[in-house]
Amino acid sequence: MASLQKQNNIHIDESLISRQMEFCKMNAELLLQRFGTRPKALVKIYGCQQNISDGQRIEGLLEAMGFDFCDNTEDADLVLFDTCAVRGHAEDRIYGNVGALKAFKARRKNRIVAVCGCMVQQSFVAEKFKKSYPHVDLLFGTHVQHKFPELLYEVLSKGSRVFDISGQGTIAEHIPTRRTGVKGWLPVMYGCNNFCTYCIVPYVRGRERSRNPEDIIAEAKEMIKEGYREITLLGQNVNSYGKNFEKPYSFANLLRDINALSGDFIIRFMTSHPKDLTDELIDALADCEKVAHHLHLPVQSGSDRILKSMNRVYTREHYLDLVKKVRKRIPDISLTSDIIVGFPGESEQDFADTLSLIEEVGYSALFTFAYSPREGTPAAKMEDQIPAEEKSRRLTVLSSIQEKISEQQNKKYLGKTLRVLCEGPSKKEGYLNGRSGGNISVEFAGDATLVNEFVNVKITEPLSFVLKGEIAE
Ligand code: 5AD
Ligand code: SF4
């Protein structure tokens, strides 16, 4: 299996993980001595789906060390933050929340505070935690996540603080995973090679590396057996899946192979970079009956000048051509996107180009962000940074226009019956929430026995953020 890999990725599989499982056992004993009872962990996960998926592996390891889980800081013996570096706002919150744990630790000194994830992979952040947050016992980066048991063992057995942001290019297999909820996250690749000029991800998650298809398919089978009805394949850019393999095997091949597994489930994937969305992938999307008709295709900006400055390597025209092509092949596809406003140098005209692009495409939903300068990225050093008030003004304008577009787009579902995966109770008493194949939120009356089931819902009132409906016969 490892022979599929042509690059010098560090493949960490069963034999190396079994060493970590030994540390889990030793930790379980030390933890029992330390706390006198089964320890409780609180895990706080920030950021994207990739981080949620990483967090589930970390929780799997905690479970193997004998931890129960709690939602309340006061009940916790160990608090772990799985952090995100993508925007400054999340980082500020994390500094604040980790800082607030000083008193938590002071009240009972044997408690453990740990931080991991993208944000702490930046060496200046790790240094700051080391110097200014003395109550942090353990800090580890994205490349040594699989070594969490060993690192915690050092904390428990020696009483020392442990900081490790070493390593790179790892693919760790066979880590126990604690999955909860209806959504099944399945990482297919790690890292990113694209270096969009605003983005910190390539620096903190390293170069692209793909998991072997056998490992992914085995995990998908396991998830189906566990009862998952939605599997989302994750990668920063799934379109370059398999590029490091000796034998040609693409993301489209992977979609087809997972589609062929038996069971009643749907497949989603994210994220696709528009620069290398292939016809082969569009064909697989169209052919595979289990693959949801939803494509998240982040455009980031509608201005060629800004796209160039962002190093996105496609033009507005190329993007719009792709949209046409996809819609022609899969007419009922629902399209979503990420947009950054206030990138350095973004003029009123550039912003107007973004607005006209979103009108032209007609997305079902948008994820919108104000540009946030990230230390060490080229865009952070660019001239003509846009003032915060202007960024937030553009964000408001963009969101209000998209709200109307979503409302308009959603009208087409009036009177239609959609197959919806029921996710849980909605805020409204007696109602449930789910998602359509197009990934649009649907609300309908029903009882909790329907959670994690597919339900046919007839849409009676399509709004901009939700389709209201009723269970169809
Ligand atoms: N500022 C604002 N948004 C960003 N994103 C990534 N980096 C930044 C940044 N520095 C957004 C992009 C990406 C999404 C996951 O986060 O739109 O697609
Ligand atoms: Fe960041 Fe661009 Fe890579 Fe996405 S493709 S993770 S935005 S560098």
Side-chain angles (χ1 to χ4, degrees):
M1 288 211 288
S3 63
L4 254 183
Q5 309 278 335
K6 136 175 105 181
Q7 290 177 354
N8 33 356
N9 292 319
I10 303 163
H11 212 89
I12 294 159
D13 54 24
E14 221 149 353
S15 57
L16 287 159
I17 292 302
S18 68
R19 187 177 129 84
Q20 295 302 322
M21 298 316 283
E22 286 304 310
F23 280 110
C24 285
K25 280 189 211 142
M26 294 193 282
N27 288 348
E29 276 179 33
L30 293 174
L31 288 159
L32 218 50
Q33 283 168 23
R34 190 175 176 118
F35 299 111
T37 171
R38 231 179 124 84
K40 287 199 184 69
L42 171 66
V43 179
K44 292 192 178 186
I45 303 172
Y46 298 80
C48 66
Q49 285 79 7
Q50 187 75 52
N51 239 24
I52 298 176
S53 152
D54 285 355
Q56 293 182 337
R57 304 268 203 243
I58 287 162
E59 288 190 6
L61 291 168
L62 285 167
E63 210 163 39
M65 296 179 214
F67 276 96
D68 284 329
F69 295 88
C70 61
D71 305 322
N72 185 320
T73 320
E74 224 25 69
D75 296 337
D77 299 302
L78 174 143
V79 178
L80 183 139
F81 293 83
D82 187 8
T83 65
C84 169
V86 172
R87 283 171 295 273
H89 181 65
E91 286 202 349
D92 294 342
R93 266 177 44 221
I94 291 162
Y95 279 128
N97 292 345
V98 177
L101 286 187
K102 203 167 179 174
F104 156 88
K105 174 110 179 171
R107 278 197 293 282
R108 183 147 63 75
K109 290 214 163 13
N110 63 357
R111 281 169 159 164
I112 300 159
V113 177
V115 280
C116 66
C118 292
M119 174 180 166
V120 304
Q121 186 64 47
Q122 305 168 94
S123 49
F124 73 95
V125 175
E127 270 313 303
K128 182 163 166 175
F129 275 115
K130 200 171 188 172
K131 275 209 190 99
S132 313
Y133 294 73
H135 60 290
V136 169
D137 303 289
L138 171 61
L139 177 151
F140 56 98
T142 49
H143 300 281
V144 289
Q145 263 166 21
H146 59 281
K147 279 171 71 182
F148 172 40
E150 183 173 353
L151 300 172
L152 185 62
Y153 179 77
E154 251 187 273
V155 174
L156 295 171
S157 63
K158 297 191 192 136
S160 48
R161 299 176 76 204
V162 174
F163 287 72
D164 188 350
I165 54 166
S166 68
Q168 57 172 302
T170 51
I171 304 177
E173 295 298 349
H174 306 288
I175 301 184
T177 305
R178 179 179 181 257
R179 290 198 176 84
T180 52
V182 170
K183 295 188 162 299
W185 307 114
L186 180 51
V188 303
M189 59 187 301
Y190 308 101
C192 182
N193 289 356
N194 292 318
F195 291 94
C196 301
T197 54
Y198 51 81
C199 188
I200 195 74
V201 168
Y203 303 88
V204 291
R205 286 200 173 259
R207 293 297 67 71
E208 281 171 0
R209 52 218 184 266
S210 303
R211 294 178 69 194
N212 287 330
E214 294 87 339
D215 293 321
I216 299 168
I217 291 165
E219 195 171 346
K221 281 185 184 161
E222 213 174 279
M223 291 165 73
I224 298 162
K225 217 161 84 191
E226 279 172 36
Y228 277 91
R229 293 177 182 274
E230 178 182 289
I231 294 180
T232 303
L233 308 176
L234 296 175
Q236 304 298 342
N237 177 18
V238 293
N239 297 337
S240 48
Y241 174 80
K243 285 201 174 147
N244 56 330
F245 292 161
E246 238 153 35
K247 272 197 275 173
Y249 185 90
S250 66
F251 187 65
N253 295 129
L254 183 66
L255 273 185
R256 288 182 191 276
D257 284 346
I258 297 181
N259 187 66
L261 299 177
S262 51
D264 188 13
F265 63 95
I266 57 166
I267 305 165
R268 299 186 185 279
F269 59 93
M270 62 191 312
T271 296
S272 287
H273 195 305
K275 81 175 162 54
D276 40 28
L277 178 72
T278 59
D279 290 353
E280 191 202 4
L281 180 60
I282 299 171
D283 285 342
L285 227 170
D287 293 345
C288 295
E289 73 286 355
K290 287 175 184 152
V291 177
H293 283 189
H294 168 220
L295 183 64
H296 183 60
L297 195 64
V299 68
Q300 312 296 358
S301 167
S303 150
D304 279 339
R305 216 174 59 83
I306 296 296
L307 286 171
K308 190 151 192 267
S309 179
M310 286 176 163
N311 190 30
R312 290 292 290 180
V313 211
Y314 53 82
T315 59
R316 172 190 175 102
E317 192 189 353
H318 175 76
Y319 185 91
L320 290 171
D321 283 348
L322 272 181
V323 166
K324 269 193 214 125
K325 195 179 347 182
V326 174
R327 282 227 168 101
K328 191 163 171 216
R329 191 82 171 79
I330 311 156
D332 70 342
I333 194 110
S334 144
L335 293 166
T336 56
S337 194
D338 294 343
I339 302 260
I340 297 176
V341 299
F343 184 80
E346 184 187 70
S347 65
E348 275 301 326
Q349 183 54 52
D350 295 320
F351 179 57
D353 289 347
T354 296
L355 297 180
S356 75
L357 181 132
I358 68 161
E359 297 265 14
E360 200 169 333
V361 174
Y363 293 108
S364 56
L366 270 191
F367 299 88
T368 57
F369 308 101
Y371 168 70
S372 166
R374 309 282 64 220
E375 194 170 321
T377 61
K381 292 192 277 295
M382 286 178 188
E383 284 172 9
D384 203 5
Q385 298 282 331
I386 309 293
E389 315 79 71
E390 181 55 20
K391 286 192 259 195
S392 79
R393 188 193 68 82
R394 290 181 192 177
L395 209 52
T396 310
V397 173
L398 180 68
S399 306
S400 73
I401 292 179
Q402 179 56 39
E403 196 179 326
K404 291 193 192 93
I405 296 172
S406 296
E407 197 183 334
Q408 193 56 37
Q409 285 290 320
N410 285 347
K411 278 189 183 149
K412 62 175 173 271
Y413 297 113
L414 180 65
K416 294 246 164 71
T417 298
L418 303 179
R419 191 162 187 255
V420 173
L421 178 61
C422 181
E423 291 181 354
S426 92
K427 283 192 195 119
K428 199 159 127 193
E429 182 79 30
Y431 282 75
L432 297 169
N433 256 129
R435 281 191 180 262
S436 69
N439 210 32
I440 303 168
S441 179
V442 180
E443 190 187 69
F444 53 98
D447 67 80
T449 56
L450 295 174
V451 173
N452 199 37
E453 299 290 339
F454 288 109
V455 187
N456 289 323
V457 180
K458 186 173 179 189
I459 305 306
T460 52
E461 194 189 354
L463 304 174
S464 50
F465 299 119
V466 64
L467 306 174
K468 296 192 175 186
E470 54 200 33
I471 295 178
E473 284 303 302

